Amino acid sequence: MKLGAILLRQGAIDQKTLDRAVEIQKTWTSPIGTILMALGLVNSRQIALALAEQFSLSYRDPGAEPPDPAVLRHVLSRVSESFLRAHSTLPLGEEGGKIAFATSNPTDPVFGGELPERLGREIVLYVASERDMSRSFMSVFRQTYIDETVMGLFYRTPEQSAIQTFTNAQLAAIFIFVTALLFGIYEWPRVVGTGIVLLVNILYLVSILFKFTASMAGAHTEIRQQVSDEEVAELKDEDLPVYTVLLPMYREPVVVKMLIESVKKLDYPTSKLDVKILLEEDDVETYESLRRIQPPAHFEIVRVPYSFPKTKPKACNYGLLFARGEFLTIFDAEDVPDRDQLKKALVAFAKGPENLACVQAALNYFNARQNFLTKMFTLEYSYWFDYMLPGIETLRFPIPLGGTSNHFRVETLRALGGWDPFNVTEDADLGIRASARGYRIATINSTTYEESNSRAGNWIRQRSRWIKGFMMTYLVHMRHPVRFVRQAGWRAFWGLQLLVGGTFLTFLINPILWLVFILWLALRPQWMDAYFPPAVVVISNMNLILGNAVAIYMNMLAVFRRQYFWLTPYALLNPAYWILHSTAAYKALWQLLTNPFYWEKTTHGLASHTEHPTA
Amino acid sequence: MDLRPIRNTRQRKFLGALFALALLLPLFCTVTVPLAEKFLLPEAFPMLLEARDPEGLSVADSILRKPLGVHVLWKAVFPFFRRTPDGVVAGWGVLCALGVSTLTGVLLFLATRSHLEGPGFFAFFLAALSSPSLLFTGTTSPGGALLLAFCSIAAFSLLSYAVLERTFFLFVAGLALGAAPFVHPAALYYVIGMAMILWMLFPGDRDRKLALYIVLFSPFALLGGGWAFLHWIYERGGPLFPNVRALYAIWGSSRLSLLLLACIFFVIGRQSYPENDASCRLMLTRDGAFTICDRGRMVRFESFWIAHLLILAALFVLGRDSDEKIPVLVLAMGTMLCLAAVAAAPRGWRRNVPVLTLLVVLSAVGWYELPRTWSLLEMWEQALQGEPEIAALYPEDAETAAFLRSVTRSREPVSLPEDGADVLAFLSDVSRAPRGSASRIAVLPSSATREISERIFFGNGFWKVILREEATQHEHVRPVSVPVVRP
């Protein structure tokens, strides 16, 4: 008897519901049980009970009866934990010389041959619900998963983990450099001083030229849509793969409802969505909020075990362990993605080269008009995601990923080792790591709207985390510069210098130069002339005038793609905004030295709810 | 118009190389050389005079080049050669003309490559090179050549933005409009004219138009602010925008108001006609020289070209009596825009050739209709026809140059006595000069006033220009006597 008929007979659904599900199945092509669950018409347990009846098996809840430790040890000596997880099965105990297994997928052929063969024993099969199986895995292998999510990258490629902020070689290099610099300043103050001024100016000059080039390249792609609406329309629901959506949250009960509404609006067959809300174990308030809202059945609440460090990448690694999709994306708590974003990402993957590891959607803000800070932030994001990133992509430099709305092939993401839980901008790090290993990253013409920070303190906290993350990323990938160049090539190397190193360095240097300039304007001290010979003066003035002018001018680009014309005059106020950047940069530097893994939490839900697109 | 990104790598590289060449050549002369002269190669100064060695000095040497740039470059690359070959020197001016023509041609090609074939591009190129006003501007005035380039870039970029709404073009237009007044003061009037009429050429609400204006004109404001700052620094609190005086010297404030009136007249007139009114189109035929777009957008672009022509006409009328180069410059700008518009017309290059030929003829007629009170025009024409010995034309210059060459071996500031008529002394701001002693002397073939001297050295903010009588009173200047040969 078919599953639908069993559910009908059991009274879990009525005929009308079944007919509707059958109709949907023609296009979604998912199993009827998955469709019914995705529509929120039955729950995981009802499906398991029906499956048990369909295959004349018994139903058992592995969560209620933990596996016999001796049996588990025996099983794990023959098959790996990942094998069990891949086939959604767990040993329960021994029954009459056979090993009892619970599974949510009794049709898996592995139970008919491979598993008994590898165990050297016969097996007895029980049916369990998907949810129960997930919970059981998380409970049984808790420590294994903690180790994997926290230390997995370090165990596999220790040189790419930020667990050690500075390596001994880096500390030695910094020590030698600083000592040599101090000695130089003592012995030849004018020569060294001039050299520093010249170097700093060259850095600025190169940085601004790079930004100009990238912006112009990005502006060139303005009307070229990476993925057209026609291409999206050509996709057939039956051909779509399962897509995992990770929703990491921490203490954000206020925005839960809006997030769920946003994800529900995605244009994608619900039965092919594997949505995982990742909650820290100690986050009771968000969990309670979720329980009250009762998200649809295809939303799975995953409790991330309490462990150090308590960071978003660790939660994402945990979600990645249980991802069922062929593709995966991440949305933040306050995100509102474009409806067709998943489909656009799929088209981009299909059109892209084989080594395309990730597709980054644009980010923007729904509360841009709230105050000065949100306006400046919107300008910055519009410029970065609408012009700089496409430009960087065109120029084939590595793309530091944004924290959300990046879409991966799950297989590639696992091959890359997932996210670094010790890096507070795990996204940027992953982008550089992917480039270093020869993968490509592309952008798509789809937007996720977020909530812009509207309070200065909150903004500085968030930005200091980002800048600290950039510092960590730079330190990690500069541990072996020669090896990095050999692996990734010069383009990636210079991309790392300009996009990651140059970013935080300019924020740090800016205030010093501003002070020097003010001092010179106010007092015109004679001694300063010694450090600014004519050639250096030319470059310095060029940076001061042309550099700042170009930076401001490029920022004006930001408004055009989205037609935020009312924001243009605010581009002229960028110097005030840069002061905030530098403040955050110094905070980041301090934290890098004193508390590198501390995750500065950004408070969301400060925007007026009427501004939220789902409101 | 088809402005899709060029996918063919070879094509892109070729165009990129042409573009770079076209832009860099005139830019080198006006921007790089003064910097090099000031900071990097002060020893180049005697070379300047070396180039004015009377033996072998030709008209081409004197006019068809800017000597310093070529010599500095030549000496930097081939330091072991004592003299720069004349061929290299004379080639500079021609290269400038080629550069400007190529630059505009490349832009035109980019904008119209869906229907502009290679021969059409070549025809445009030939037509541009056959236009005396373009050649003259390119070969005698790097600033004018750059002005042509920047104004052409601005016009085509604005047009491209209007058609495609690609921000890239708007920003390029803004940069071109921002840079143009700094290479030639006449461009300021072009910028003002554009500012007065652009608002009605683009649709959109107040926010959009404000954004458009900020993007288009903030480069000029930012560069102007930067320039003022630099001038303030190097003049130690001297007047800001010294070139404002030069600008007024060209036309005077009353003439500026005439330009404003002309633009206001255009705006009012344009608004009086509804967009589809036939009377508005009487000025240009539907298939005529200035139509390059589809019918739906035609009116807007007619206005665009009319606006340009109006600005140029205003420049011509207002500037022709005060600066002899202005009529040539306006003629060159108009020629360039017209040639480009015709070449871009989507009718196939064969049909464009007669119109291009006609325009070249008209341009030549315009050239010969220019007032002939200016000796440089005649000298230039002479230079094109042959190379009479410089000594026959300017014996006093030759003599003076020979003398100065010997005098400045010591690199001391030099002034000239009262009887050294028609000669100016130029010296750097000695207190800030590198190595404290750099100086330079130039010889002008015509009688020079303060007004002319300031205009000639427009843009060179590091040099003080001092008239002979002032120079002789300077504490660092050692007066010398110059044997002047008068005809």
Side-chain angles (χ1 to χ4, degrees):
Chain A
M1 189 182 284
K2 287 189 172 179
L3 190 74
I6 296 170
L7 286 166
L8 188 65
R9 193 176 55 72
Q10 287 178 345
I13 54 172
D14 55 22
Q15 185 61 48
K16 195 176 165 188
T17 307
L18 180 60
D19 292 344
R20 185 180 156 210
V22 169
E23 193 58 34
I24 291 173
Q25 193 183 28
K26 287 176 187 166
T27 51
W28 287 7
T29 64
S30 302
I32 201 80
T34 313
I35 291 171
L36 287 166
M37 267 179 56
L39 295 172
L41 301 170
V42 294
N43 60 35
S44 174
R45 190 166 181 273
Q46 286 170 311
I47 295 291
L49 286 168
L51 272 175
E53 185 178 331
Q54 188 182 21
F55 294 100
S56 305
L57 298 170
S58 299
Y59 167 83
R60 277 172 79 171
D61 177 3
E65 35 187 326
D68 180 331
V71 173
L72 183 63
R73 268 198 304 278
H74 170 70
V75 170
L76 288 176
S77 68
R78 302 296 177 93
V79 295
S80 67
E81 173 277 329
S82 56
F83 177 89
L84 296 176
R85 185 156 38 93
H87 297 285
S88 187
T89 187
L90 265 178
L92 296 171
E94 220 170 337
E95 290 180 8
K98 297 177 183 175
I99 299 176
F101 274 90
T103 179
S104 60
N105 186 13
T107 57
D108 192 329
V110 76
F111 299 115
E114 187 181 351
L115 186 60
E117 272 176 29
R118 289 177 70 170
L119 292 174
R121 302 267 293 272
E122 287 186 57
I123 62 169
V124 184
L125 211 53
Y126 291 93
V127 178
S129 74
E130 271 183 25
R131 292 291 156 86
D132 291 339
M133 287 304 300
S134 288
R135 270 197 290 270
S136 298
F137 268 102
M138 289 172 197
S139 164
V140 171
F141 296 106
R142 179 186 170 92
Q143 195 52 49
T144 309
Y145 294 157
I146 290 175
D147 283 351
E148 173 59 28
T149 52
V150 175
M151 303 300 287
L153 181 69
F154 176 72
Y155 288 153
R156 282 186 287 275
T157 48
E159 73 278 4
Q160 292 191 326
S161 166
I163 193 168
Q164 188 182 7
T165 309
F166 295 95
T167 61
N168 291 338
Q170 283 175 330
L171 285 173
I174 292 169
F175 176 76
I176 291 169
F177 176 75
V178 171
T179 310
L181 195 67
L182 291 175
F183 178 74
I185 289 171
Y186 179 76
E187 277 291 314
W188 310 284
R190 288 193 174 187
V191 175
V192 176
T194 306
I196 293 170
V197 172
L198 190 64
L199 268 178
V200 166
N201 275 292
I202 288 171
L203 166 76
Y204 273 76
L205 195 63
V206 172
S207 172
I208 202 70
L209 285 175
F210 173 72
K211 279 184 180 164
F212 182 79
T213 311
S215 306
M216 286 292 114
H220 247 302
T221 63
E222 194 175 55
I223 57 163
R224 178 174 64 86
Q225 292 196 319
Q226 293 95 330
V227 179
S228 69
D229 291 342
E230 292 74 27
E231 285 171 316
V232 171
E234 280 172 16
L235 288 177
K236 292 177 181 167
D237 281 351
E238 59 261 38
D239 298 333
L240 298 178
V242 175
Y243 217 116
T244 297
V245 178
L246 298 184
L247 307 173
M249 303 179 87
Y250 188 59
R251 299 208 165 132
E252 296 183 278
V254 181
V255 292
V256 163
K257 191 176 178 188
M258 289 180 286
L259 176 65
I260 290 171
E261 287 303 314
S262 303
V263 176
K264 273 166 72 178
K265 284 180 180 169
L266 284 173
D267 175 22
Y268 206 84
T270 320
S271 64
K272 294 183 178 182
L273 278 180
D274 167 33
V275 184
K276 293 190 182 334
I277 301 175
L278 307 173
L279 284 187
E280 290 284 340
E281 255 178 358
D282 61 348
D283 185 4
V284 181
E285 54 206 282
T286 314
Y287 183 66
E288 287 303 322
S289 176
L290 275 166
R291 278 181 55 141
R292 275 195 302 278
I293 293 164
Q294 291 200 329
H298 62 287
F299 282 68
E300 183 186 0
I301 300 170
V302 176
R303 307 300 298 273
V304 182
Y306 186 89
S307 62
F308 179 82
K310 215 154 53 175
T311 57
K312 175 179 154 189
K314 188 197 73 178
C316 289
N317 279 341
Y318 198 75
L320 179 61
L321 282 174
F322 300 98
R324 292 187 289 110
E326 190 181 329
F327 294 88
L328 175 148
T329 188
I330 303 169
F331 294 123
D332 273 352
E334 81 287 12
D335 282 3
V336 186
D338 278 350
R339 286 192 69 233
D340 59 356
Q341 190 172 111
L342 303 189
K343 287 186 173 178
K344 278 190 172 167
L346 287 180
V347 174
F349 274 115
K351 285 167 65 178
E354 278 186 13
N355 62 345
L356 181 62
C358 176
V359 170
Q360 170 75 58
L363 303 181
N364 215 284
Y365 294 122
F366 54 74
N367 62 329
R369 288 180 188 265
Q370 192 175 345
N371 59 25
F372 171 77
L373 205 53
T374 61
K375 285 174 182 134
M376 298 308 292
F377 213 165
T378 307
L379 263 179
E380 184 191 3
Y381 252 39
S382 303
Y383 172 60
W384 177 254
F385 283 101
D386 295 348
Y387 291 92
M388 272 297 280
L389 280 194
I392 292 169
E393 183 192 348
T394 305
L395 300 174
R396 296 276 188 95
F397 280 98
I399 293 182
L401 296 172
T404 159
S405 305
N406 24 51
H407 301 253
F408 299 93
R409 291 183 203 273
V410 170
E411 195 184 339
T412 311
L413 182 58
R414 285 182 173 142
L416 282 167
W419 295 270
D420 183 354
F422 293 95
N423 193 319
V424 290
T425 48
E426 74 294 343
D427 31 38
D429 172 67
L430 186 57
I432 302 291
R433 199 189 320 147
S435 297
R437 293 199 195 172
Y439 288 103
R440 290 275 302 278
I441 292 168
T443 56
I444 48 169
N445 51 318
S446 178
T447 304
T448 298
Y449 289 90
E450 301 191 294
E451 180 193 340
S452 167
N453 245 316
S454 54
R455 292 183 191 166
N458 204 26
W459 187 95
I460 287 175
R461 275 199 297 280
Q462 184 186 49
R463 191 52 62 108
S464 69
R465 172 166 63 77
W466 293 356
I467 296 173
K468 183 173 71 175
F470 267 45
M471 291 170 176
M472 291 171 118
T473 303
Y474 185 78
L475 287 168
V476 164
H477 294 284
M478 284 298 286
R479 284 173 182 169
H480 306 287
V482 177
R483 196 189 299 168
F484 185 87
V485 172
R486 271 199 211 125
Q487 281 181 347
W490 283 105
R491 199 183 288 257
F493 177 80
W494 286 113
L496 177 69
Q497 307 306 315
L498 292 165
L499 290 164
V500 181
T503 302
F504 67 79
L505 213 54
T506 46
F507 291 152
L508 289 172
I509 294 170
N510 274 344
I512 299 170
L513 294 186
W514 293 333
L515 283 176
V516 169
F517 181 58
I518 291 167
L519 184 70
W520 181 83
L521 271 186
L523 303 173
R524 302 271 177 115
Q526 285 289 321
W527 57 265
M528 214 179 257
D529 291 347
Y531 302 102
F532 288 88
V536 178
V537 170
V538 170
I539 301 175
S540 304
N541 281 317
M542 194 168 163
N543 281 334
L544 179 73
I545 295 162
L546 281 182
N548 285 310
V550 169
I552 290 170
Y553 193 54
M554 288 299 103
N555 201 237
M556 286 178 192
L557 267 172
V559 307
F560 281 86
R561 182 170 279 179
R562 294 177 191 277
Q563 306 203 336
Y564 292 163
F565 297 115
W566 52 274
L567 270 177
T568 316
Y570 288 90
L572 297 167
L573 301 176
N574 258 304
Y577 190 52
W578 296 338
I579 294 173
L580 278 178
H581 278 93
S582 291
T583 311
Y586 276 96
K587 185 177 178 189
L589 182 63
W590 176 249
Q591 276 199 358
L592 181 79
L593 300 172
T594 58
N595 199 1
F597 311 128
Y598 176 65
W599 187 276
E600 284 275 18
K601 176 86 182 84
T602 312
T603 310
H604 293 124
L606 300 175
S608 161
H609 283 194
T610 54
E611 288 179 283
H612 200 284
T614 61
Chain B
M1 290 173 79
D2 176 14
L3 285 157
R4 285 169 300 176
I6 299 169
R7 296 193 187 286
N8 184 306
T9 310
R10 275 190 192 170
Q11 201 179 12
R12 196 164 51 211
K13 282 184 180 170
F14 172 70
L15 287 173
L18 278 180
F19 189 95
L21 179 75
L23 194 63
L24 284 178
L25 283 173
L27 203 65
F28 174 78
C29 191
T30 48
V31 178
T32 317
V33 172
L35 288 176
E37 176 190 334
K38 175 71 180 172
F39 296 114
L40 305 176
L41 292 167
E43 55 270 36
F45 301 146
M47 287 191 320
L48 175 74
L49 295 165
E50 187 180 83
R52 299 193 67 96
D53 188 340
E55 296 164 21
L57 193 67
S58 65
V59 173
D61 194 23
S62 169
I63 299 168
L64 289 177
R65 58 153 171 94
K66 285 285 172 183
L68 184 60
V70 177
H71 279 277
V72 169
L73 189 64
W74 180 261
K75 279 286 178 185
V77 181
F78 304 105
F80 39 87
F81 278 100
R82 201 170 157 269
R83 285 198 74 231
T84 310
D86 285 345
V88 174
V89 176
W92 166 251
V94 179
L95 280 176
C96 275
L98 275 170
V100 173
S101 310
T102 309
L103 175 62
T104 312
V106 166
L107 285 169
L108 184 70
F109 179 74
L110 282 171
T112 59
R113 65 200 167 84
S114 63
H115 52 261
L116 184 67
E117 303 149 49
F121 182 73
F122 186 65
F124 161 78
F125 198 74
L126 270 185
L129 280 181
S130 309
S131 165
S133 58
L134 283 175
L135 267 182
F136 176 81
T137 308
T139 52
T140 60
S141 164
L146 271 177
L147 168 72
L148 277 182
F150 283 132
C151 289
S152 305
I153 291 170
F156 279 104
S157 300
L158 279 170
L159 193 59
S160 303
Y161 174 71
V163 175
L164 294 172
E165 298 199 344
R166 279 177 63 177
T167 319
F168 171 77
F169 292 108
L170 188 64
F171 275 73
V172 171
L175 289 173
L177 284 176
F182 293 92
V183 298
H184 198 290
L188 185 61
Y189 296 90
Y190 179 76
V191 173
I192 292 171
M194 295 298 278
M196 294 183 69
I197 56 174
L198 272 178
W199 65 271
M200 57 182 299
L201 300 181
F202 292 95
D205 57 11
R206 192 192 59 180
D207 282 341
R208 183 174 184 161
K209 285 185 175 170
L210 179 64
L212 195 83
Y213 268 75
I214 290 176
V215 169
L216 280 178
F217 300 107
S218 60
F220 173 65
L222 291 168
L223 288 175
W227 175 267
F229 169 73
L230 282 180
H231 194 264
W232 175 64
I233 287 176
Y234 289 105
E235 291 297 313
R236 292 187 181 255
L240 298 181
F241 286 109
N243 299 311
V244 170
R245 269 195 302 171
L247 290 173
Y248 277 109
I250 294 179
W251 292 306
S253 56
S254 60
R255 286 184 176 160
L256 177 64
S257 59
L258 278 176
L259 176 68
L260 299 181
L261 273 177
C263 290
I264 290 167
F265 171 77
F266 168 73
V267 170
I268 294 169
R270 183 67 191 79
Q271 280 202 320
S272 307
Y273 293 105
E275 286 212 333
N276 291 320
D277 195 305
S279 59
C280 186
R281 293 192 183 172
L282 286 177
M283 298 175 75
L284 300 167
T285 60
R286 180 170 299 279
D287 240 351
F290 310 111
T291 306
I292 66 167
C293 303
D294 59 90
R295 283 165 182 254
R297 295 173 183 253
M298 181 139 43
V299 173
R300 196 195 301 171
F301 300 112
E302 281 176 356
S303 307
F304 187 85
W305 291 112
I306 293 167
H308 267 92
L309 287 177
L310 198 79
I311 292 171
L312 293 179
L315 282 175
F316 185 83
V317 171
L318 301 174
R320 66 180 171 181
D321 297 333
S322 50
D323 186 328
E324 289 160 315
K325 272 190 179 177
I326 290 296
V328 187
L329 195 59
V330 170
L331 187 64
M333 283 174 72
T335 306
M336 182 72 99
L337 288 168
C338 290
L339 286 176
V342 173
R347 297 175 297 191
W349 68 273
R350 285 185 184 80
R351 288 185 65 194
N352 281 334
V353 167
V355 189
L356 280 174
T357 312
L358 183 66
L359 273 173
V360 171
V361 171
L362 285 175
S363 169
V365 170
W367 171 263
Y368 285 106
E369 286 303 311
L370 287 171
R372 295 288 147 159
T373 54
W374 189 23
S375 59
L376 190 58
L377 278 181
E378 288 172 7
M379 287 157 52
W380 187 78
E381 284 169 352
Q382 272 184 301
L384 283 182
Q385 290 159 15
E387 290 194 354
E389 285 299 311
I390 189 71
L393 286 173
Y394 310 109
E396 71 277 21
D397 277 1
E399 292 290 331
T400 311
F403 171 76
L404 289 175
R405 187 182 164 202
S406 63
V407 167
T408 51
R409 291 256 185 246
S410 63
R411 292 196 190 170
E412 288 173 357
V414 172
S415 175
L416 302 167
E418 192 63 31
D419 59 350
D422 301 338
V423 177
L424 288 176
F426 296 85
L427 65 159
S428 66
D429 180 352
V430 177
S431 61
R432 297 181 66 80
R435 305 182 190 182
S437 63
S439 67
R440 166 177 147 186
I441 296 174
V443 181
L444 292 183
S446 60
S447 60
T449 62
R450 174 187 287 278
E451 188 180 301
I452 291 174
S453 69
E454 287 184 357
R455 205 184 316 153
I456 287 168
F457 285 84
F458 175 83
N460 193 346
F462 298 108
W463 286 89
K464 272 187 177 174
V465 179
I466 301 179
L467 290 176
R468 182 185 56 248
E469 56 269 27
E470 289 174 357
T472 51
Q473 293 165 15
H474 197 287
E475 58 178 329
H476 294 288
V477 171
R478 176 171 59 88
V480 293
S481 66
V482 181
V484 174
V485 180
R486 292 189 177 280

